[in-house]
Amino acid sequence: MKKVYIIISAIMLGSSAMMHAQTTKDKEITVTTAEGNNEVIELPEGMTYELDSLLHLYHTERYLRPDADCNFPNINPQFPREVFIDRLSRLPNRMEMPYNDVVQKFIDKYSNQLRRSVSYMLGAANFYMPIFEQALETYGLPLELKYLPVIESALNPNAVSRVGATGLWQFMLATGKQYGLEVNSLVDERRDIVKSSYAAAEYLSDLYKIFGDWNLVIAAYNAGPQSINKAIHRAKGEKDYWKIYPYLPKETRGYVPGFIAANYIMNYYCEHNICPMVTELPTKTDTVMVDRDVHFEQIAAVLNMDMEEIKMLNPQYRTNLVNGGSKPSSLRLPAQQINNFIDKEQTIYAHVINEQLLKRKEVEVEQQVVAENTAKYSSSRSNSKEKKGKKGKKNRERSRSVTVKSGDTLYEIAARNNISVSKLKKLNKISGSNIRPGKKLKVK
């Protein structure tokens, strides 16, 4: 492999305007080979996300804030290469993280242009790292793999790549389903922080069984096992990442150096005057299982919650509908709201919202009975048929009542009897949404 030398970019960041302009407009870096040729390496996609998209996430706006006491936040000190070599060697890692000029280039990227994104990720790490660590520990994997989502998604739980990889761990659709993540029109468990973390740990464990080398594992996580096997074949069977480097896709060439740089910057941010955003940890959460369809709007209205908080805690539900009617489904809420939900569960289901937000089991079709006089066809098509009709009168419907069963809601009763909720309430002079079991309701 050709030895690579790096043209180091400017170390000092200037005005605050430059700080705001650091939103990763560049999607690649350029290195210079020993022959003086420029080589372009694509950045991992997590290093290209706009900072504004991270700062406008719900949990960022609610639980994170800049550190007002941060000193020299715009000054990135210079260090000799020996310092970087020493610092990397002292990381408490099982994985090999060697230093070279390519790694230095990625460290410079994080410590200069992306320093405000690093500040966000250091704050957001308080939300996610305990979950990542538990999943990795369950599969006996190196805990430094918790920084993979730093380069995959910049710790943005809503991240979607240009090729459709989704969530913190950036699962493609087929791989997510292969590892047990449900994806359909209503649910995308690639966005579920806990389930996707355990799926990622299982996937990484399987990749290690194939390659037996952690640098090849994380390269395969990015490019897929087939791409890595092709690169190994082209490198005459070499299984050292740095020897198959020239045969890898451009983005994968930067993936391992980016991962090493992410480990470096998430541990040595203080030495580069990067201050984590101050984190106010959210209240503890818990889950409750629901066995009916329920919309976030119903929950928010009855429990007096911010619907955006419910969405943030349950990102796997694509349309804000928990589809418990298909199978028992989990709903995550602040721990203090769990008993509140259980106590008011029937009221939540009965709470009337826009009917189009919920799936109707039956619908009433508005019909007209039309009497038609049909002329006989003539033998010639030129004398075409002519229909004469007039509207008939609707048949008078007889009055009919039903008895409310335990657990019934106005919506369900209306759906079963082919009338709208508003008509049902009008027939029975109901002003609210509460009904008691045993009561008779007119449905015609």
mmCIF file with all atom_site columns, all heavy atoms in Angstrom, residues 196-207:
data_model
loop_
_atom_site.group_PDB
_atom_site.id
_atom_site.type_symbol
_atom_site.label_atom_id
_atom_site.label_alt_id
_atom_site.label_comp_id
_atom_site.label_asym_id
_atom_site.label_entity_id
_atom_site.label_seq_id
_atom_site.pdbx_PDB_ins_code
_atom_site.Cartn_x
_atom_site.Cartn_y
_atom_site.Cartn_z
_atom_site.occupancy
_atom_site.B_iso_or_equiv
_atom_site.pdbx_formal_charge
_atom_site.auth_seq_id
_atom_site.auth_comp_id
_atom_site.auth_asym_id
_atom_site.auth_atom_id
_atom_site.pdbx_PDB_model_num
ATOM 1  N N   . SER A 1 196 ? -32.814 -1.759  18.578 1.00 0.00 ? 196 SER A N   1
ATOM 2  C CA  . SER A 1 196 ? -31.785 -1.644  17.533 1.00 0.00 ? 196 SER A CA  1
ATOM 3  C C   . SER A 1 196 ? -30.388 -1.834  18.113 1.00 0.00 ? 196 SER A C   1
ATOM 4  O O   . SER A 1 196 ? -29.497 -2.353  17.432 1.00 0.00 ? 196 SER A O   1
ATOM 5  C CB  . SER A 1 196 ? -31.887 -0.285  16.840 1.00 0.00 ? 196 SER A CB  1
ATOM 6  O OG  . SER A 1 196 ? -31.562 0.779   17.715 1.00 0.00 ? 196 SER A OG  1
ATOM 7  N N   . SER A 1 197 ? -30.176 -1.443  19.371 1.00 0.00 ? 197 SER A N   1
ATOM 8  C CA  . SER A 1 197 ? -28.862 -1.618  19.993 1.00 0.00 ? 197 SER A CA  1
ATOM 9  C C   . SER A 1 197 ? -28.541 -3.095  20.186 1.00 0.00 ? 197 SER A C   1
ATOM 10 O O   . SER A 1 197 ? -27.410 -3.539  19.940 1.00 0.00 ? 197 SER A O   1
ATOM 11 C CB  . SER A 1 197 ? -28.809 -0.880  21.336 1.00 0.00 ? 197 SER A CB  1
ATOM 12 O OG  . SER A 1 197 ? -28.940 0.517   21.148 1.00 0.00 ? 197 SER A OG  1
ATOM 13 N N   . TYR A 1 198 ? -29.524 -3.865  20.618 1.00 0.00 ? 198 TYR A N   1
ATOM 14 C CA  . TYR A 1 198 ? -29.299 -5.305  20.787 1.00 0.00 ? 198 TYR A CA  1
ATOM 15 C C   . TYR A 1 198 ? -29.157 -5.997  19.428 1.00 0.00 ? 198 TYR A C   1
ATOM 16 O O   . TYR A 1 198 ? -28.364 -6.939  19.284 1.00 0.00 ? 198 TYR A O   1
ATOM 17 C CB  . TYR A 1 198 ? -30.426 -5.926  21.610 1.00 0.00 ? 198 TYR A CB  1
ATOM 18 C CG  . TYR A 1 198 ? -30.240 -5.709  23.096 1.00 0.00 ? 198 TYR A CG  1
ATOM 19 C CD1 . TYR A 1 198 ? -30.672 -4.531  23.701 1.00 0.00 ? 198 TYR A CD1 1
ATOM 20 C CD2 . TYR A 1 198 ? -29.585 -6.647  23.881 1.00 0.00 ? 198 TYR A CD2 1
ATOM 21 C CE1 . TYR A 1 198 ? -30.485 -4.307  25.059 1.00 0.00 ? 198 TYR A CE1 1
ATOM 22 C CE2 . TYR A 1 198 ? -29.386 -6.441  25.240 1.00 0.00 ? 198 TYR A CE2 1
ATOM 23 C CZ  . TYR A 1 198 ? -29.835 -5.264  25.823 1.00 0.00 ? 198 TYR A CZ  1
ATOM 24 O OH  . TYR A 1 198 ? -29.624 -5.040  27.161 1.00 0.00 ? 198 TYR A OH  1
ATOM 25 N N   . ALA A 1 199 ? -29.901 -5.533  18.425 1.00 0.00 ? 199 ALA A N   1
ATOM 26 C CA  . ALA A 1 199 ? -29.745 -6.099  17.082 1.00 0.00 ? 199 ALA A CA  1
ATOM 27 C C   . ALA A 1 199 ? -28.356 -5.804  16.540 1.00 0.00 ? 199 ALA A C   1
ATOM 28 O O   . ALA A 1 199 ? -27.721 -6.671  15.916 1.00 0.00 ? 199 ALA A O   1
ATOM 29 C CB  . ALA A 1 199 ? -30.824 -5.533  16.154 1.00 0.00 ? 199 ALA A CB  1
ATOM 30 N N   . ALA A 1 200 ? -27.856 -4.582  16.778 1.00 0.00 ? 200 ALA A N   1
ATOM 31 C CA  . ALA A 1 200 ? -26.514 -4.216  16.312 1.00 0.00 ? 200 ALA A CA  1
ATOM 32 C C   . ALA A 1 200 ? -25.452 -5.064  17.003 1.00 0.00 ? 200 ALA A C   1
ATOM 33 O O   . ALA A 1 200 ? -24.488 -5.512  16.363 1.00 0.00 ? 200 ALA A O   1
ATOM 34 C CB  . ALA A 1 200 ? -26.262 -2.729  16.569 1.00 0.00 ? 200 ALA A CB  1
ATOM 35 N N   . ALA A 1 201 ? -25.626 -5.290  18.305 1.00 0.00 ? 201 ALA A N   1
ATOM 36 C CA  . ALA A 1 201 ? -24.655 -6.110  19.036 1.00 0.00 ? 201 ALA A CA  1
ATOM 37 C C   . ALA A 1 201 ? -24.628 -7.535  18.491 1.00 0.00 ? 201 ALA A C   1
ATOM 38 O O   . ALA A 1 201 ? -23.557 -8.132  18.324 1.00 0.00 ? 201 ALA A O   1
ATOM 39 C CB  . ALA A 1 201 ? -25.002 -6.107  20.531 1.00 0.00 ? 201 ALA A CB  1
ATOM 40 N N   . GLU A 1 202 ? -25.800 -8.080  18.181 1.00 0.00 ? 202 GLU A N   1
ATOM 41 C CA  . GLU A 1 202 ? -25.850 -9.439  17.623 1.00 0.00 ? 202 GLU A CA  1
ATOM 42 C C   . GLU A 1 202 ? -25.190 -9.480  16.244 1.00 0.00 ? 202 GLU A C   1
ATOM 43 O O   . GLU A 1 202 ? -24.448 -10.421 15.923 1.00 0.00 ? 202 GLU A O   1
ATOM 44 C CB  . GLU A 1 202 ? -27.299 -9.917  17.529 1.00 0.00 ? 202 GLU A CB  1
ATOM 45 C CG  . GLU A 1 202 ? -27.420 -11.354 17.043 1.00 0.00 ? 202 GLU A CG  1
ATOM 46 C CD  . GLU A 1 202 ? -28.856 -11.837 16.949 1.00 0.00 ? 202 GLU A CD  1
ATOM 47 O OE1 . GLU A 1 202 ? -29.780 -11.061 17.271 1.00 0.00 ? 202 GLU A OE1 1
ATOM 48 O OE2 . GLU A 1 202 ? -29.046 -13.008 16.549 1.00 0.00 ? 202 GLU A OE2 1
ATOM 49 N N   . TYR A 1 203 ? -25.447 -8.457  15.435 1.00 0.00 ? 203 TYR A N   1
ATOM 50 C CA  . TYR A 1 203 ? -24.856 -8.392  14.097 1.00 0.00 ? 203 TYR A CA  1
ATOM 51 C C   . TYR A 1 203 ? -23.335 -8.291  14.190 1.00 0.00 ? 203 TYR A C   1
ATOM 52 O O   . TYR A 1 203 ? -22.609 -9.003  13.476 1.00 0.00 ? 203 TYR A O   1
ATOM 53 C CB  . TYR A 1 203 ? -25.441 -7.193  13.360 1.00 0.00 ? 203 TYR A CB  1
ATOM 54 C CG  . TYR A 1 203 ? -24.979 -7.036  11.926 1.00 0.00 ? 203 TYR A CG  1
ATOM 55 C CD1 . TYR A 1 203 ? -24.686 -8.136  11.122 1.00 0.00 ? 203 TYR A CD1 1
ATOM 56 C CD2 . TYR A 1 203 ? -24.851 -5.769  11.366 1.00 0.00 ? 203 TYR A CD2 1
ATOM 57 C CE1 . TYR A 1 203 ? -24.285 -7.982  9.803  1.00 0.00 ? 203 TYR A CE1 1
ATOM 58 C CE2 . TYR A 1 203 ? -24.446 -5.600  10.039 1.00 0.00 ? 203 TYR A CE2 1
ATOM 59 C CZ  . TYR A 1 203 ? -24.156 -6.711  9.272  1.00 0.00 ? 203 TYR A CZ  1
ATOM 60 O OH  . TYR A 1 203 ? -23.755 -6.547  7.969  1.00 0.00 ? 203 TYR A OH  1
ATOM 61 N N   . LEU A 1 204 ? -22.828 -7.439  15.062 1.00 0.00 ? 204 LEU A N   1
ATOM 62 C CA  . LEU A 1 204 ? -21.374 -7.300  15.239 1.00 0.00 ? 204 LEU A CA  1
ATOM 63 C C   . LEU A 1 204 ? -20.755 -8.609  15.721 1.00 0.00 ? 204 LEU A C   1
ATOM 64 O O   . LEU A 1 204 ? -19.656 -8.984  15.293 1.00 0.00 ? 204 LEU A O   1
ATOM 65 C CB  . LEU A 1 204 ? -21.084 -6.167  16.227 1.00 0.00 ? 204 LEU A CB  1
ATOM 66 C CG  . LEU A 1 204 ? -21.373 -4.754  15.712 1.00 0.00 ? 204 LEU A CG  1
ATOM 67 C CD1 . LEU A 1 204 ? -21.407 -3.760  16.871 1.00 0.00 ? 204 LEU A CD1 1
ATOM 68 C CD2 . LEU A 1 204 ? -20.326 -4.321  14.688 1.00 0.00 ? 204 LEU A CD2 1
ATOM 69 N N   . SER A 1 205 ? -21.464 -9.294  16.601 1.00 0.00 ? 205 SER A N   1
ATOM 70 C CA  . SER A 1 205 ? -20.976 -10.586 17.094 1.00 0.00 ? 205 SER A CA  1
ATOM 71 C C   . SER A 1 205 ? -20.870 -11.596 15.949 1.00 0.00 ? 205 SER A C   1
ATOM 72 O O   . SER A 1 205 ? -19.878 -12.333 15.839 1.00 0.00 ? 205 SER A O   1
ATOM 73 C CB  . SER A 1 205 ? -21.924 -11.118 18.180 1.00 0.00 ? 205 SER A CB  1
ATOM 74 O OG  . SER A 1 205 ? -21.510 -12.387 18.645 1.00 0.00 ? 205 SER A OG  1
ATOM 75 N N   . ASP A 1 206 ? -21.874 -11.612 15.069 1.00 0.00 ? 206 ASP A N   1
ATOM 76 C CA  . ASP A 1 206 ? -21.839 -12.526 13.923 1.00 0.00 ? 206 ASP A CA  1
ATOM 77 C C   . ASP A 1 206 ? -20.711 -12.163 12.959 1.00 0.00 ? 206 ASP A C   1
ATOM 78 O O   . ASP A 1 206 ? -20.048 -13.053 12.390 1.00 0.00 ? 206 ASP A O   1
ATOM 79 C CB  . ASP A 1 206 ? -23.181 -12.489 13.188 1.00 0.00 ? 206 ASP A CB  1
ATOM 80 C CG  . ASP A 1 206 ? -24.284 -13.217 13.956 1.00 0.00 ? 206 ASP A CG  1
ATOM 81 O OD1 . ASP A 1 206 ? -23.961 -13.941 14.916 1.00 0.00 ? 206 ASP A OD1 1
ATOM 82 O OD2 . ASP A 1 206 ? -25.459 -13.040 13.597 1.00 0.00 ? 206 ASP A OD2 1
ATOM 83 N N   . LEU A 1 207 ? -20.474 -10.872 12.741 1.00 0.00 ? 207 LEU A N   1
ATOM 84 C CA  . LEU A 1 207 ? -19.384 -10.451 11.852 1.00 0.00 ? 207 LEU A CA  1
ATOM 85 C C   . LEU A 1 207 ? -18.019 -10.868 12.407 1.00 0.00 ? 207 LEU A C   1
ATOM 86 O O   . LEU A 1 207 ? -17.121 -11.240 11.650 1.00 0.00 ? 207 LEU A O   1
ATOM 87 C CB  . LEU A 1 207 ? -19.431 -8.936  11.645 1.00 0.00 ? 207 LEU A CB  1
ATOM 88 C CG  . LEU A 1 207 ? -20.592 -8.406  10.801 1.00 0.00 ? 207 LEU A CG  1
ATOM 89 C CD1 . LEU A 1 207 ? -20.594 -6.880  10.798 1.00 0.00 ? 207 LEU A CD1 1
ATOM 90 C CD2 . LEU A 1 207 ? -20.507 -8.924  9.368  1.00 0.00 ? 207 LEU A CD2 1
#
